[in-house]
Amino acid sequence: MPVKTSLKENIAIALQSIGGNRLRTSLTSLIIAIGIMALVGILTAIEGIKQFTNDAFSSLGANSFTIQNRGGRLNFGNGGHRKVYPSINYDQAMRFKELYQLPALIAINLNVSGTATAKYGDLKTNPNVSVTGSNENYLATNGYKLSYGRNFSASELEHGAGVIIIGEELRAKFFKKEDPINKSIFVGSTRFSVIGVLASKGSSSGIGGGDRSCIIPLLKSKQIAATSNPSFAITIMVNNANALDASIGEATSLFRNIRDLQIGADDNFEITRSDEIQKQLASNLAGVTIAGFAIGAITLIGAAIGLMNIMLVSVTERTREIGVRKAIGATPAVIRKQFLIEAIVICLIGGIAGMILGMGIGNLIAVQISGTFIIPWLWLSCAIALCTLIGLLSGYYPAKKASRLDPVEALRYE
C-alpha cells in the first residue's frame, strides 16, 4: 500500500513539474514525437505495402511457376558478345502442355504489346494498353476473375478467333452505360469482339497493365505478333504447394527433352517460381524497415540527450525542493523514482503524439497503395516500450544525482 501511495505522489509531482515548464517540456516532447513519427510512419506504410503484396500474391498463389526464354548474358570467353538463347516457340509450348502429366493448370502466354492503342467509335486510349495472348487457363493462373461475360471457348482458341477480354479501365472508358459484350473494338489495327471484362484489380496490380489489360486467344496473338519469332511463356499452377518442387523437376526434365538438350548441357530456358518475386520484395522491404529504424533511432538519440540535459537542469532548479522532501522523510529511492517517472512521462507525451502523427502519415501512403487503413499494433506497442526505455535511460543519471544530494546542503541552496 505505501508503495502505491508513493507512486501516485511521484506521478502527481512529475505532472506538476511538467505543467510548470510547459514550453521546455513541449520542445523536448516534440523532438521525441518527430523520432517516433518517423519510425511509426515508415513502419505503417511498410505494413500497408506488405498487406497489398500478400493479397496480390495470394490471388496468384504460391504454387505456380513460369517457364520462359533465358535472358541474355555476357560471354567473356567469346569476346564479350552477348549470348542469344533460342526463343520458346509456339510448337514447343503446345507440346509441353500436351505432354505434361502431373495435375496442373497450364497457361501459355505471349506478350503482344504493352503500348497498344484501343479504339471504340470516336473514343481512343493512350498507347498504354497491354495485350496478351493466352488460353483458357490465363484467368486462373494470373489471379483474374470476370465481372462480365465469359472465357474463351475451345473453338475460339483453336481457330484464333477475333475475340477479346478487356480490363475494367477500358470498359469504363468505352462502355459507361452500355453492355460491352459482343461490341467491336479495335486494338491497334485489328478488330475484336468483346466477350468478357476482367474484374478490377487496380492499375498498380495485375500482370501486364492491371485494368488496362486485354486478353486475346493465343493463336490470334501469334498471328498479329510484331516479330516473326516471338518467345512464349508457360505458367504452370499445381494443385498443392507441397508438390511444387516435384512439379518443377518434372517440368524441367520434360522441357529439356522438348528443346533437345543433351545430358550435361545447360538449360537454355528459365524457371521462375511465383514466390521468388514475393521473397525478393520482402527482402527489399526489410531493408526499408532497417532504414526506418535508423532514421527513428538517430532522432531519438538526439531526443534522449536533450531530455537528459533538461532533467539535469530540472534537478539544479529544484535542489531546495529536493532538500525539503528529504528533510521530511523522503528516501533516496523515492527521489530517484520521482525524477525517473517525470522523464518517462515526458517521453510518453512525445511518443503518443508521434504515434498519432506517424499513423496518419503512414496510412496516407498505405491507403493509396492498398486501400486499407492499417493499425500496426505491434509497432505501436514497441514505440511505447521504446519511449519508456528512453525515459529510463535519459532520466537515470539526473535521478541518481538528485537522490544523492545532501539534504542540509540542498536546503542551504540559494
Side-chain angles (χ1 to χ4, degrees):
M1 231 23 212
V3 174
K4 291 184 179 178
T5 304
S6 176
L7 182 62
K8 287 180 181 179
E9 288 178 356
N10 282 325
I11 292 175
I13 294 169
L15 292 174
Q16 184 179 359
S17 175
I18 289 170
N21 297 280
R22 292 179 184 176
L23 179 60
R24 190 166 62 190
T25 301
S26 298
L27 292 174
T28 308
S29 297
L30 179 62
I31 300 173
I32 295 168
I34 292 171
I36 296 296
M37 179 185 69
L39 189 62
V40 173
I42 292 172
L43 296 175
T44 301
I46 290 171
E47 285 296 318
I49 296 170
K50 282 182 180 178
Q51 179 174 313
F52 170 73
T53 54
N54 287 339
D55 291 344
F57 281 102
S58 65
S59 66
L60 296 178
N63 54 345
S64 65
F65 59 96
T66 300
I67 302 173
Q68 58 191 358
N69 188 36
R70 188 170 179 178
R73 294 184 179 182
L74 290 176
N75 187 345
F76 294 103
N78 189 28
H81 297 295
R82 185 180 297 276
K83 186 173 182 179
V84 179
Y85 294 90
S87 299
I88 298 174
N89 61 43
Y90 180 80
D91 292 335
Q92 289 172 345
M94 294 302 292
R95 189 177 170 200
F96 178 90
K97 186 174 186 295
E98 180 183 345
L99 297 178
Y100 192 74
Q101 297 298 317
L102 296 181
L105 290 176
I106 300 177
I108 302 172
N109 310 317
L110 176 63
N111 182 23
V112 179
S113 175
T115 57
T117 301
K119 185 179 180 182
Y120 174 69
D122 295 331
L123 299 173
K124 188 177 181 181
T125 68
N126 294 322
N128 58 2
V129 176
S130 170
V131 183
T132 303
S134 192
N135 59 14
E136 72 282 1
N137 293 325
Y138 181 87
L139 301 180
T141 56
N142 287 276
Y144 279 107
K145 294 181 180 179
L146 290 174
S147 58
Y148 297 89
R150 60 176 177 83
N151 202 349
F152 300 123
S153 68
S155 175
E156 289 166 345
L157 291 170
E158 182 181 355
H159 297 98
V163 293
I164 191 169
I165 299 172
I166 62 173
E168 172 60 26
E169 188 173 318
L170 297 184
R171 183 209 64 78
K173 183 176 181 65
F174 291 155
F175 310 104
K176 292 181 176 64
K177 297 182 180 179
E178 296 181 64
D179 183 355
I181 305 304
N182 296 325
K183 297 291 194 305
S184 293
I185 68 170
F186 281 88
V187 178
S189 59
T190 307
R191 183 175 179 176
F192 293 93
S193 176
V194 178
I195 63 168
V197 178
L198 299 171
S200 177
K201 293 184 73 175
S203 60
S204 62
S205 63
I207 295 176
D211 289 350
R212 294 191 299 273
S213 292
C214 290
I215 317 302
I216 62 177
L218 184 65
L219 184 57
K220 185 68 175 179
S221 69
K222 179 176 179 289
Q223 294 169 354
I224 67 172
T227 61
S228 58
N229 185 31
S231 186
F232 294 78
I234 308 166
T235 300
I236 302 97
M237 177 177 280
V238 300
N239 298 331
N240 188 349
N242 295 327
L244 186 60
D245 291 335
S247 301
I248 291 175
E250 175 68 18
T252 303
S253 176
L254 174 59
F255 207 65
R256 282 181 62 88
N257 290 335
I258 291 173
R259 300 272 272 185
D260 294 324
L261 293 176
Q262 299 298 317
I263 296 175
D266 292 337
D267 294 339
N268 57 5
F269 56 91
E270 292 179 340
I271 293 183
T272 306
R273 296 170 56 136
S274 60
D275 56 358
E276 285 180 359
I277 302 172
Q278 190 175 15
K279 288 177 182 177
Q280 183 178 359
L281 184 58
S283 176
N284 292 336
L285 288 177
V288 177
T289 304
I290 293 171
F293 269 115
I295 293 170
I298 291 170
T299 310
L300 290 173
I301 289 171
I305 294 171
L307 178 60
M308 182 180 290
N309 182 55
I310 283 177
M311 292 304 298
L312 287 171
V313 172
S314 180
V315 170
T316 302
E317 290 179 346
R318 293 157 62 190
T319 300
R320 187 171 182 81
E321 173 197 329
I322 295 167
V324 172
R325 293 201 69 200
K326 280 195 168 188
I328 60 176
T331 64
V334 171
I335 299 296
R336 186 165 54 247
K337 192 180 297 182
Q338 172 193 336
F339 282 89
L340 282 175
I341 289 173
E342 188 173 322
I344 292 171
V345 169
I346 292 173
C347 276
L348 289 177
I349 291 172
I352 291 170
M355 285 188 285
I356 294 171
L357 292 172
M359 280 183 57
I361 294 172
N363 273 297
L364 284 176
I365 301 171
V367 168
Q368 291 296 321
I369 295 172
S370 65
T372 305
F373 187 87
I374 306 294
I375 301 179
W377 294 111
L378 174 62
W379 299 122
L380 293 181
S381 302
C382 291
I384 292 173
L386 185 60
C387 287
T388 305
L389 179 63
I390 291 171
L392 285 171
L393 295 176
S394 300
Y396 178 76
Y397 177 71
K400 186 178 179 181
K401 182 179 179 182
S403 68
R404 288 183 172 181
L405 285 176
D406 181 86
V408 176
E409 292 297 326
L411 286 170
R412 292 173 58 188
Y413 187 76
E414 294 181 346

